[in-house]
Amino acid sequence: MHYRTLAGGTGPEVSALCLGILPFGSSVDDATSYAILDRFAEAGGTFVDTSNNYAIWAPGGTGDESELLLGRWLRDRGARDRTVVATKVGARPPAGSTKIWPEVWEGLSAKVIRAGIEGSLRRLGTDHVDLYYAHVEDRDVPVTETVEAFAEVVRSGATRVLGVSNHAAWRVAAARQYAADQGLPGYTCVQQRHTYLWPVPGGEWGAQWYARDDVQDMIAANDDMTLMAYGPLIHGAYTRPDKKLLAEYDHPVSHRRLDVLREVAKELGATPNQVVLAWQMGGALPIVPVVGVSSVAQLDEALAAVDLDLGPELRARLDAV
């Protein structure tokens, strides 16, 4: 395993791959979830990503399942001190709502953030998380209120590093500027969709955001920032013939990039998934892929990408399309 340090060297050291556990404790059963977490830890993986709304959309889901599962595993394995835990707030439904995300979410008010961290710590069975994200953009709450509430979470010792997910670049920049002006901790980790393929112009996923040029430029210009790339393997579409390419990626440039990706993978004796992850981890932009898997075999495929060296020539071919 390789490692990098978050927040410009002031945050925790994390494994080059982050394990996203969205379905753990719901569509991925406890035994399989434990097996995947055990294998990840055995391979040197330290960075695990969850949220306080995973997976509320599953049959009978409450949104507590993933955090509760991780909390049990951390306790049963005595693994808290060697695991970097990231979770999120803001995308649970408002109290009493009969609708769920992505139709509605509770947002990023100070009240929600205070209650959110308390609930997450309780479910995770810990006194702090290492990285705490604003999950989904909330334009009904002043950015000042959200920034100050997150700063209080840091001051209380309940988190060390702050992150933001599914936000427009200008909102992230505004929040960081306010935090800097007030001497408060700001967002340093940005979790957005990102993969080797680019979405069609204007293509979006509702409340979710892709890390387009403006986000990437912001991260490149600030040495305390890291991109956490979720959806890097586009739900298996790079390798599985039964998985149709998402409509947001289905355009001529994507098909040309897929051809080059498959050529490079064949030359390396690797899978397209491994090449995508290696391409993300080895580039100039600081990227940590957030990989979601549902089996140990899928995890092992992803882990093999950590030591896959593309080299400048192959990387140039991938980037030229």
Side-chain angles (χ1 to χ4, degrees), residues 233 239 270-274 277 296-306:
L233 304 180
T239 57
T271 68
N273 283 344
Q274 290 165 345
L277 295 175
V296 172
Q298 290 175 354
L299 175 62
D300 282 339
E301 179 189 13
L303 289 169
V306 173

Side-chain angles (χ1 to χ4, degrees), residues 237-249:
Y238 283 119
T239 57
R240 291 177 53 178
D242 61 316
K243 293 287 186 177
K244 186 177 180 181
L245 191 64
L246 295 176
E248 291 86 354
Y249 295 116

Side-chain angles (χ1 to χ4, degrees), residues 214-302:
D214 52 357
V215 170
Q216 295 189 38
D217 289 346
M218 175 177 59
I219 291 169
N222 293 277
D223 60 10
D224 65 332
M225 299 191 78
T226 307
L227 175 61
M228 310 300 183
Y230 77 83
L233 304 180
I234 50 177
H235 311 293
Y238 283 119
T239 57
R240 291 177 53 178
D242 61 316
K243 293 287 186 177
K244 186 177 180 181
L245 191 64
L246 295 176
E248 291 86 354
Y249 295 116
D250 195 358
H251 55 97
V253 175
S254 283
H255 292 283
R256 292 199 295 273
R257 285 174 79 84
L258 283 170
D259 288 342
V260 174
L261 174 66
R262 288 164 180 155
E263 290 170 5
V264 169
K266 185 176 181 180
E267 290 174 26
L268 289 170
T271 68
N273 283 344
Q274 290 165 345
V275 173
V276 169
L277 295 175
W279 174 81
Q280 288 182 321
M281 289 184 286
L285 195 71
I287 298 177
V288 176
V290 181
V291 179
V293 300
S294 57
S295 70
V296 172
Q298 290 175 354
L299 175 62
D300 282 339
E301 179 189 13

Side-chain angles (χ1 to χ4, degrees), residues 77-214:
R77 299 297 190 256
R80 181 64 188 94
D81 290 345
R82 60 180 185 271
T83 306
V84 179
V85 176
T87 193
K88 312 177 190 75
V89 64
R92 286 175 78 97
S97 174
T98 58
K99 298 180 179 179
I100 61 172
W101 186 91
E103 292 182 86
V104 296
W105 54 89
E106 60 187 350
L108 295 170
S109 69
K111 180 180 179 180
V112 164
I113 292 166
R114 285 193 297 269
I117 190 64
E118 290 173 2
S120 288
L121 296 182
R122 183 176 62 253
R123 287 184 289 274
L124 290 164
T126 185
D127 63 356
H128 74 285
V129 295
D130 302 284
L131 169 57
Y132 198 43
Y133 285 102
H135 197 167
V136 180
E137 188 173 272
D138 181 0
R139 297 192 182 181
D140 293 329
V141 172
V143 70
T144 55
E145 178 179 342
T146 299
V147 169
E148 290 170 1
F150 273 106
E152 181 55 38
V153 176
V154 175
R155 280 194 294 268
S156 73
T159 194
R160 181 174 175 187
V161 175
L162 298 176
V164 60
S165 181
N166 300 313
H167 278 57
W170 69 267
R171 293 277 294 185
V172 179
R176 279 173 54 85
Q177 187 62 58
Y178 179 76
D181 291 345
Q182 300 299 315
L184 301 174
Y187 301 134
T188 58
C189 298
V190 180
Q191 187 174 138
Q192 310 274 75
R193 279 186 179 269
H194 181 270
T195 187
Y196 176 61
L197 301 184
W198 278 83
V200 296
E204 293 293 353
W205 290 263
Q208 299 176 341
W209 290 76
Y210 193 91
R212 296 179 183 271
D213 284 341
D214 52 357

Side-chain angles (χ1 to χ4, degrees), residues 54-86:
Y54 293 163
I56 199 166
W57 48 86
T62 65
D64 295 348
E65 288 80 7
S66 179
E67 288 185 331
L68 286 171
L69 184 285
L70 180 58
R72 292 194 297 273
W73 181 83
L74 292 170
R75 182 188 65 247
D76 293 346
R77 299 297 190 256
R80 181 64 188 94
D81 290 345
R82 60 180 185 271
T83 306
V84 179
V85 176

